[in-house]
């Protein structure tokens, strides 16, 4: 039902409990619990392989709004592929959102310990990419040559299809 039609009037303190339950009931209709997912990981020329690295994603969908995170840690047997990287989304994006900035990315070069912040954007309705200052995709050698211990973290919010 509609949240507004389920709202009680607040005539006495006991009505607050009813109000809280009405909000929980309404929110439960439009919010998914946080979900884990395994993003795909591709490169524009040669796809990388995860090896003993880790790649994890988490997301929550509230109505048509998706909040998601992706974390990639390169392992000693990870092959970095070649070209710019893209990562799969947990839920397809609305077509009107493609090429639109959706969040940020924090990159960590393990040796030496160096950090870079970049912009995440929808590369397609099913993938996110990270742009450098020059507009090139972050990938196997941008902003540095990826190696064991390096980390890519992405946080984004976008509209679901």
């Amino acid at each position: 039902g509609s949240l507004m039609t389920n709202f009680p009037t607040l005539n006495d303190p006991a009505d607050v409990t009813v109000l809280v339950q009405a909000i929980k009931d309404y929110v439960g209709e439009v919010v998914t619990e946080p979900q884990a997912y395994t993003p795909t990981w591709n490169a524009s020329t040669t796809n990388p392989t995860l090896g003993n690295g880790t790649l994890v994603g988490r997301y929550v969908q509230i109505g048509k709004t998706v909040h998601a995170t992706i974390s990639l840690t390169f392992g000693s047997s990870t092959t970095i592929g070649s070209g710019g990287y893209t990562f799969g989304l947990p839920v397809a994006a609305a077509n009107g959102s493609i090429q639109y900035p959706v969040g940020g990315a924090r990159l960590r070069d393990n040796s030496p310990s160096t950090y870079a912040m970049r912009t995440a954007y929808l590369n397609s309705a099913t993938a996110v990419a990270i742009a450098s200052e020059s507009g090139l995709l972050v990938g196997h050698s941008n902003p540095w040559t990826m190696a064991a211990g390096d980390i890519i973290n992405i946080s984004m919010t976008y509209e679901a299809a």
Side-chain angles (χ1 to χ4, degrees), residues 70-88:
I70 296 171
S71 182
L72 168 63
T73 302
F74 292 78
S76 60
S77 65
T78 299
T79 61
I80 62 173
S82 63
Y85 293 154
T86 59
F87 299 90

Side-chain angles (χ1 to χ4, degrees), residues 44 83-86 121 123 129-132 135-139 142:
S44 57
Y85 293 154
T86 59
Y121 71 94
N123 184 258
I130 306 166
S132 67
L136 297 175
L137 292 181
V138 166
N142 181 19

Side-chain angles (χ1 to χ4, degrees), residues 16-154:
V16 172
T17 302
V18 175
L19 174 62
V20 168
Q21 187 59 51
I23 292 170
K24 285 181 180 178
D25 291 345
Y26 177 75
V27 169
E29 294 174 11
V30 296
V31 177
T32 62
E33 291 295 318
Q35 302 287 320
Y37 85 104
T38 303
T40 57
W41 177 31
N42 295 305
S44 57
T45 305
T46 304
N47 284 335
T49 58
L50 189 57
N52 64 350
T54 59
L55 177 60
V56 295
R58 289 194 54 81
Y59 74 100
V60 64
Q61 184 170 350
I62 304 169
K64 292 187 82 63
T65 303
V66 179
H67 302 281
T69 60
I70 296 171
S71 182
L72 168 63
T73 302
F74 292 78
S76 60
S77 65
T78 299
T79 61
I80 62 173
S82 63
Y85 293 154
T86 59
F87 299 90
L89 298 173
V91 176
N95 287 335
S97 299
I98 296 171
Q99 301 297 320
Y100 190 79
V102 292
R106 182 176 187 257
L107 314 172
R108 179 178 182 266
D109 185 358
N110 187 47
S111 180
S113 187
T114 304
Y115 297 88
M117 299 297 291
R118 299 292 187 260
T119 300
Y121 71 94
L122 293 177
N123 184 258
S124 71
T126 59
V128 63
I130 306 166
S132 67
E133 299 92 353
S134 65
L136 297 175
L137 292 181
V138 166
H140 79 285
S141 63
N142 181 19
W144 47 71
T145 300
M146 300 296 173
D150 290 355
I151 299 170
I152 296 174
N153 289 319
I154 303 169

